[in-house]
Every structure is written in structure tokens, then in C-alpha cells.
């Protein structure tokens, strides 16, 4: 006769090993996705703006990317509505048309994002991929400043220290480039123009990101529907940008002048990159995101040395190290059990 089943009420439930394994796999997938997206976009934009052959218009690439993103988000919202056309149309109408005031608020960051994306093409045209990737991390500083001003956020001492290291690191990196002629270089490239474009893009990125965060607070609208709203506002503005900046070139050569397989890849990468990050970022904590950004900088530097004749110097390496350290420091969250030193907004 077998033993009776144990009736020990103090036994604890066994942890779900499969669930933990799945979460870990998603974290690693998030890491790889963030690294590939961050590094690939910087390297691809640089290559696309410096390769031989007919040069495509960056304004048309930005517009095409917004259109692609718009249709992708529309389809995802359609899937969220259980692929019911009636529910889909009703959802779009109630969110965009009926609640038009909310849609008008989204127009502000959407227009800013269009200008920002155009500036990033300018920066990629004049800065090598490694310098571009390092300099663009100044968006952490601008986001922090706008968060203090617009959201009344407070930064702890380690975050202020991180911002200081970030600025020092970018200055060191830019000084290296200044020593190699600050003005026009090969192919009409101008590092000062590239640096100003990158800094302007960082400022716009910080403002748009914080403004968008302010809108999202207390809202039940999905991220995909928000992106539909963004694209609805950004596409008309991107059309205006094309007409104002490149109307004669578009009229003479056509809208898709210079487009080939690589340009279409770049357009899709820019359109899907942010959406892809939005999907995986919930599985990535601050340390993982910081590690991914830092690894992307390293990848961009190595690829620049291999494919773009980039010369790595000790000063550039030290400046990059400061920037990478600042990323980790800014994302660090001290233990909640101990009160942390906080510096209020200025």
C-alpha cells in the first residue's frame, strides 16, 4: 500500500521556471534589438549620405518614412480592434475626430519630430557615425532640462553628475574633430554644420519627448493609436517641408530620385525602428537600456574604423568613455529604502 499524499500546508509553490526563462529571453531579445536599431540607424544614415551615385533628398525620405509608419500603426490598431472594420473605424473616429482637442495637442510633437528627423540627416551628412552617435546622446541632457521645466521633475545628485560627465565627454569628442579641420572637409562636409544640426536635433528631441510624455499622463489611448495621431499630423507637415526645401529638385528629378534598395531599407528602418523599440522597451530596465546604448556606441565606433576610415584617438576614446559612464549613472536608481539627495529645479 502506497504512502498517502503529503498534506504539508507550509510547502511553498515552486517558481515558474518556464516563465522566468521566457522573461530572460525577452530581455536579451530587447538588448539585441536596441543595440541593432541604435547602431544600424546611425551607420546606415551616414553611409546613405556619403556613398557615390545619385543622392536622394532627405526631406522625401522623412516624408516616406512617416507614411510607412502611419500605415503600420493603422494596421496594428486594426488588429487591436479584433480585425473588425466597424470597430476600427469607430475607434479612429472617437479618438481622432470626436476628441479633436487631444489630436491637436499631438500635432506639436509631431511637427517637431519632422524637423528633428531632417536635422539628423544633416548631422549624418557632416559627421562620421561614431561622432554622430556620441554627440546625439546630448538628448539625455535636453530631456532632463525640459523634464525639470515642464514636468517639475527633480534630479538626484548622481544624475546631475552624469549630465556634467556627458557634456564633458561630448566636448572632448568634438575637440578631436576640430583638430582635424573644423571647417569643410571631403565632399563639402562641414563638421560645424553637423554639430549644430545634431545639437538642434537633441533640443527638439528633448522637448518633443517631454511634451509627448505630458500628454500621455492619465491617458488610456494605446501607444499605437498615439502614433496614428502623430503620423496624421506629421505627414502634412513633412509634405510642406518637402515643398519648401526641395520643390525645384522634386519637380526636375522626381520625388523618388536617387532611391534604390538601400534607401528603401533606410526609410523602413527609420519608420519601424522607434516602433520596434517601443514594443521591447517594457522588458528592458534602465541598466539594460544603458548597456544597449553604450554597446551601440562601441559598435558604431568599430564599424566607422572598418568601413569609414575613422581614426580612433586617445582623446576620443576618453570622451566616449565619459559619455558611456554618464548613461549608466543617469539611469541608475538608488535603493528606495534610503532617502536620496535631490536637487530641485532651478
Amino acid at each position: 500500500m502506497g504512502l498517502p499524499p503529503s498534506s504539508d500546508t507550509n510547502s511553498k509553490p515552486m517558481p515558474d521556471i518556464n516563465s522566468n526563462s521566457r522573461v530572460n529571453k525577452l530581455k536579451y531579445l530587447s538588448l539585441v534589438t536596441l543595440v541593432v536599431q541604435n547602431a544600424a540607424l546611425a551607420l546606415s544614415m551616414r553611409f546613405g549620405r556619403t556613398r557615390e551615385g545619385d543622392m536622394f533628398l532627405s526631406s522625401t525620405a522623412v516624408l516616406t518614412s512617416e507614411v510607412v509608419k502611419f500605415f503600420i500603426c493603422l494596421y496594428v490598431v486594426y488588429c487591436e480592434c479584433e480585425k473588425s472594420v466597424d470597430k476600427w473605424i469607430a475607434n479612429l473616429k472617437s479618438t481622432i475626430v470626436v476628441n479633436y482637442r487631444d489630436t491637436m495637442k499631438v500635432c506639436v510633437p509631431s511637427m517637431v519630430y519632422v524637423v528633428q528627423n531632417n536635422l539628423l540627416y544633416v548631422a549624418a551628412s557632416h559627421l562620421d557615425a561614431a561622432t554622430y552617435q556620441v554627440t546625439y546622446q546630448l538628448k539625455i541632457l535636453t530631456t532632463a532640462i525640459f523634464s525639470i521645466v515642464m514636468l517639475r521633475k527633480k534630479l538626484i545628485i548622481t544624475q546631475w553628475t552624469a549630465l556634467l560627465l556627458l557634456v564633458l565627454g561630448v566636448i572632448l569628442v568634438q575637440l578631436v574633430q576640430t583638430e582635424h579641420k573644423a571647417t569643410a572637409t571631403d565632399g563639402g562636409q562641414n563638421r560645424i554644420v553637423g554639430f549644430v544640426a545634431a545639437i538642434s536635433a537633441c533640443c527638439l528631441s528633448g522637448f518633443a519627448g517631454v511634451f509627448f510624455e505630458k500628454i500621455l499622463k492619465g491617458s488610456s489611448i494605446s501607444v499605437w493609436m498615439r502614433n496614428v495621431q502623430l503620423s496624421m499630423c506629421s505627414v502634412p507637415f513633412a509634405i510642406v517641408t518637402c515643398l519648401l526645401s526641395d520643390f525645384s529638385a522634386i519637380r526636375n528629378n522626381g520625388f523618388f530620385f536617387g532611391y534604390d534598395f538601400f534607401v528603401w531599407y533606410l526609410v523602413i528602418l527609420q519608420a519601424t525602428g522607434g516602433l520596434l523599440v517601443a514594443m521591447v522597451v517594457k522588458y528592458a530596465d534602465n541598466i539594460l537600456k544603458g548597456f544597449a546604448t553604450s554597446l551601440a556606441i562601441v559598435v558604431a565606433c568599430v564599424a566607422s574604423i572598418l568601413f569609414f576610415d575613422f581614426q580612433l584617438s586617445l582623446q576620443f576614446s576618453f570622451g566616449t568613455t565619459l559619455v558611456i559612464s554618464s548613461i549608466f549613472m543617469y539611469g541608475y536608481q538608488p535603493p528606495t529604502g534610503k532617502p536620496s539627495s535631490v536637487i530641485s529645479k532651478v
Side-chain angles (χ1 to χ4, degrees):
M1 186 172 180
L3 293 173
S6 174
S7 59
D8 185 5
T9 57
N10 294 325
S11 60
K12 296 181 180 179
M14 295 294 291
D16 192 343
I17 298 177
N18 292 331
S19 178
N20 291 336
S21 176
R22 180 175 176 272
V23 170
N24 288 331
K25 287 181 181 179
L26 289 173
K27 281 188 175 182
Y28 287 120
L29 177 63
S30 302
L31 173 63
V32 173
T33 303
L34 291 171
V35 171
V36 171
Q37 196 275 333
N38 285 334
L41 185 58
L43 293 167
S44 300
M45 288 179 69
R46 175 62 178 174
F47 177 75
R49 301 305 290 173
T50 57
R51 63 179 183 154
E52 297 179 355
D54 295 329
M55 181 59 62
F56 66 96
L57 299 173
S58 59
S59 61
T60 64
V62 171
L63 172 57
T64 308
S65 178
E66 290 297 328
V67 172
V68 171
K69 184 169 67 175
F70 176 63
F71 283 108
I72 290 175
C73 293
L74 274 179
Y75 178 74
V76 175
V77 172
Y78 171 71
C79 293
E80 287 182 340
C81 295
E82 301 173 352
K83 294 186 177 182
S84 169
V85 176
D86 293 335
K87 290 182 179 179
W88 182 56
I89 295 176
N91 192 10
L92 291 173
K93 182 179 178 181
S94 63
T95 305
I96 298 173
V97 180
V98 177
N99 196 11
Y100 67 93
R101 291 183 179 178
D102 187 64
T103 303
M104 294 301 293
K105 290 180 183 178
V106 177
C107 287
V108 176
S110 65
M111 290 187 292
V112 173
Y113 281 134
V114 170
V115 178
Q116 172 199 330
N117 288 333
N118 278 282
L119 286 172
L120 289 178
Y121 272 106
V122 175
S125 300
H126 295 278
L127 297 175
D128 57 82
T131 305
Y132 165 88
Q133 188 81 325
V134 173
T135 305
Y136 192 49
Q137 301 311 311
L138 280 176
K139 63 185 178 181
I140 298 175
L141 173 64
T142 59
T143 301
I145 293 174
F146 283 112
S147 295
I148 292 171
V149 175
M150 298 173 62
L151 301 178
R152 298 292 189 263
K153 283 191 175 181
K154 296 181 180 181
L155 304 182
I156 61 177
I157 291 178
T158 54
Q159 289 177 317
W160 284 106
T161 305
L163 294 178
L164 177 61
L165 291 178
L166 175 65
V167 173
L168 290 176
V170 172
I171 289 175
L172 287 175
V173 168
Q174 287 300 323
L175 286 177
V176 173
Q177 306 308 316
T178 303
E179 292 173 1
H180 294 87
K181 296 183 181 179
T183 54
T185 59
D186 297 338
Q189 298 177 36
N190 190 315
R191 297 191 184 279
I192 294 179
V193 172
F195 179 67
V196 171
I199 293 297
S200 301
C202 288
C203 293
L204 294 176
S205 174
F207 170 76
V210 173
F211 191 95
F212 196 51
E213 180 183 346
K214 192 173 183 178
I215 294 175
L216 288 176
K217 281 193 172 182
S219 174
S220 58
I221 300 176
S222 70
V223 174
W224 299 104
M225 181 61 79
R226 281 297 186 190
N227 277 284
V228 170
Q229 291 178 313
L230 279 171
S231 297
M232 280 192 64
C233 298
S234 61
V235 167
F237 189 71
I239 293 174
V240 173
T241 304
C242 284
L243 296 178
L244 291 178
S245 60
D246 298 308
F247 176 72
S248 59
I250 293 174
R251 182 181 58 186
N252 295 331
N253 301 320
F255 184 89
F256 295 109
F257 176 76
Y259 276 58
D260 57 12
F261 176 80
F262 182 83
V263 176
W264 280 109
Y265 147 78
L266 182 57
V267 166
I268 295 173
L269 178 65
Q270 190 173 31
T272 59
L275 300 177
L276 192 61
V277 171
M279 287 191 295
V280 303
V281 78
K282 64 179 180 179
Y283 299 107
D285 54 21
N286 285 326
I287 295 177
L288 192 64
K289 285 185 284 185
F291 184 73
T293 304
S294 303
L295 190 56
I297 293 175
V298 174
V299 171
C301 290
V302 173
S304 296
I305 295 172
L306 295 176
F307 303 111
F308 297 107
D309 297 326
F310 177 72
Q311 296 180 354
L312 187 65
S313 67
L314 181 62
Q315 182 175 328
F316 185 95
S317 301
F318 183 62
T320 302
T321 301
L322 289 180
V323 171
I324 291 175
S325 300
S326 71
I327 294 172
F328 280 103
M329 286 184 64
Y330 191 82
Y332 169 73
Q333 296 294 331
T336 55
K338 297 180 181 180
S340 57
S341 299
V342 176
I343 300 179
S344 301
K345 76 180 188 67
V346 180

